[in-house]
Amino acid sequence: MKEFELDSITDEAIKACEDRHDEFIAQNSAAMDCIRAEKFCDAVELLKPAAQNGNPLAAFDLGLAHLRGVLGEIDLEKAIFYLEAAALLGAVSAVNVLSQIYLNEQNSVFDQDKGLAYLRYAAKRKDLDAMLDLGKRFYEGDLLEQNIADAMKWWGTAAHMGDGRACANMGVLYLYGQGVEADPSSAVGFLERGALEGNAIAQVELGQMYEHGLAVDKDYEQAISLYRLASMQGHPKGHYYLCAMYEMGKGCEVDYETAQKFYQFAAESGLAQAMNSLGSLIGRGLGCEQDRVKSAKLYIQAAEAGDITGAFNAGSRLVNGDGVPTDIPRAIRYFEYAASHGDEDSKVALRQLEAFFARANGNLDS
């Protein structure tokens, strides 16, 4: 095989790969059965002859197998060999994976210029993963000069091709005015498409719009449906917003037990807000047996994870020795953190503590 160059990939090869996609998939069905059964060695032996006979998807899967080390150790040389073969046979997705190899600073073959050139090539040829990644790099200024317009160009193109991730990205940009003027009406359109494509982020953000009546009529039942869809995919905020609806009885009967269950899911996913909310339910004994010790621990976990309300609640418990030993210095640290992020209750608590210690030290008339 001649040395690989992007110019060596012909339009005819790309079209043939697209036109014969289902045929190539069918040829690899036995290998896919082996992969599902975790018989990776058998799968590789089935894919090799298919790749040699011109099946680009077989070559692509072999490249991934060596890249992911499913046979034992990662073998970049073999991964690149098979991915280049797949690219020459018209699999544009292989070019995108090659770009990720060259853009990974951990790899011995790291080459930023080469990686970006491959990424641009794949994006221009409508590889969705490449378009998403290139847009993200422009948005974040990662290896490229930050350019929101270019990020939106790539994400917008992918969104119009029906990619749910791109729809969610565009929706969030317009919803929160991130690098572009806020436009909730435009956000709704993108988020609706993303939600229909099953994107959990789009479902959560669109649910928030329905819950609060932003650019749409307020509809709690629709919000619950969207949160539930996101929750079913394991999205932490899907869990969190769904259980908040049950806790407050928005669009449903108040159900503390269900709320606690979903707060637990969200808290276990690392969502600090959920740790605080779960601590509140357990501390009040709503939907469960009251447990002030457990609730205090959850408040502290929330505070340590950066939740502002959790920091205030943890500080309050530490001041009062409620469910946890009194620890004024630690309480002050939590109050100061929350106050620095605008929490008025924490500012009041700090002033009260300051006044208390001033009186205790005889600096004020009591």
Side-chain angles (χ1 to χ4, degrees), residues 126-159:
K126 302 296 189 291
D127 180 83
L128 291 171
D129 288 337
M131 295 165 78
L132 264 290
D133 185 34
L134 188 56
K136 183 173 183 285
R137 291 181 186 278
F138 274 120
Y139 182 76
E140 297 180 349
D142 180 11
L143 301 183
L144 293 166
E145 184 176 352
Q146 187 176 42
N147 189 317
I148 304 301
D150 278 346
M152 294 182 70
K153 180 187 79 171
W154 290 111
W155 285 345
T157 302

Side-chain angles (χ1 to χ4, degrees), residues 143-341:
L143 301 183
L144 293 166
E145 184 176 352
Q146 187 176 42
N147 189 317
I148 304 301
D150 278 346
M152 294 182 70
K153 180 187 79 171
W154 290 111
W155 285 345
T157 302
H160 288 300
M161 290 174 63
D163 187 88
R165 300 165 298 174
C167 289
N169 288 347
M170 292 294 291
V172 169
L173 288 183
Y174 280 115
L175 179 59
Y176 296 105
Q178 295 180 350
V180 64
E181 186 175 352
D183 184 350
S185 296
S186 294
V188 169
F190 281 110
L191 293 174
E192 283 179 339
R193 277 179 279 166
L196 287 172
E197 290 295 323
N199 183 272
I201 294 174
Q203 290 162 351
V204 166
E205 297 296 348
L206 186 60
Q208 283 278 279
M209 297 185 80
Y210 275 108
E211 181 181 349
H212 300 288
L214 180 59
V216 294
D217 291 334
K218 186 178 289 188
D219 187 333
Y220 290 152
E221 291 184 0
Q222 180 73 340
I224 287 175
S225 295
L226 287 161
Y227 294 152
R228 183 174 287 113
L229 288 171
S231 177
M232 289 170 63
Q233 298 184 66
H235 194 283
K237 287 192 175 180
H239 297 322
Y240 178 77
Y241 290 131
L242 180 60
C243 52
M245 300 295 275
Y246 280 107
E247 181 183 0
M248 294 181 283
K250 286 186 175 181
C252 59
E253 295 292 329
V254 172
D255 186 339
Y256 293 124
E257 289 185 7
T258 298
Q260 183 191 353
K261 178 178 74 172
F262 284 104
Y263 277 142
Q264 184 73 46
F265 290 153
E268 289 173 354
S269 299
L271 189 65
Q273 292 169 286
M275 298 171 193
N276 176 70
S277 295
L278 182 60
S280 177
L281 284 184
I282 293 174
R284 291 178 289 161
L286 298 176
C288 61
E289 183 177 348
Q290 186 179 44
D291 189 333
R292 303 293 286 182
V293 172
K294 187 174 182 180
S295 68
K297 289 180 179 178
L298 284 162
Y299 285 148
I300 290 172
Q301 288 176 13
E304 292 293 332
D307 184 70
I308 297 169
T309 305
F312 170 76
N313 288 334
S316 299
R317 291 296 195 88
L318 288 163
V319 166
N320 297 314
D322 184 357
V324 64
T326 300
D327 188 336
I328 301 299
R330 190 176 186 185
I332 290 173
R333 289 199 301 273
Y334 288 143
F335 286 145
E336 287 177 340
Y337 169 79
S340 70
H341 288 77

Side-chain angles (χ1 to χ4, degrees), residues 11-25:
D11 292 338
E12 291 77 15
I14 294 173
K15 187 176 187 306
C17 183
E18 293 172 348
D19 291 345
R20 298 179 62 191
H21 182 270
D22 291 345
E23 176 188 342
F24 293 136
I25 287 286

Side-chain angles (χ1 to χ4, degrees), residues 48-95:
K48 283 181 180 178
Q52 291 169 355
N53 289 327
N55 184 322
L57 302 188
F60 178 74
D61 286 334
L62 284 168
L64 289 182
H66 289 293
L67 179 61
R68 295 170 179 169
V70 298
L71 300 178
E73 295 184 358
I74 292 173
D75 190 328
L76 280 182
E77 184 177 347
K78 287 184 179 179
I80 292 170
F81 171 82
Y82 282 114
L83 289 169
E84 288 179 348
L88 290 172
L89 291 168
V92 175
S93 55
V95 180

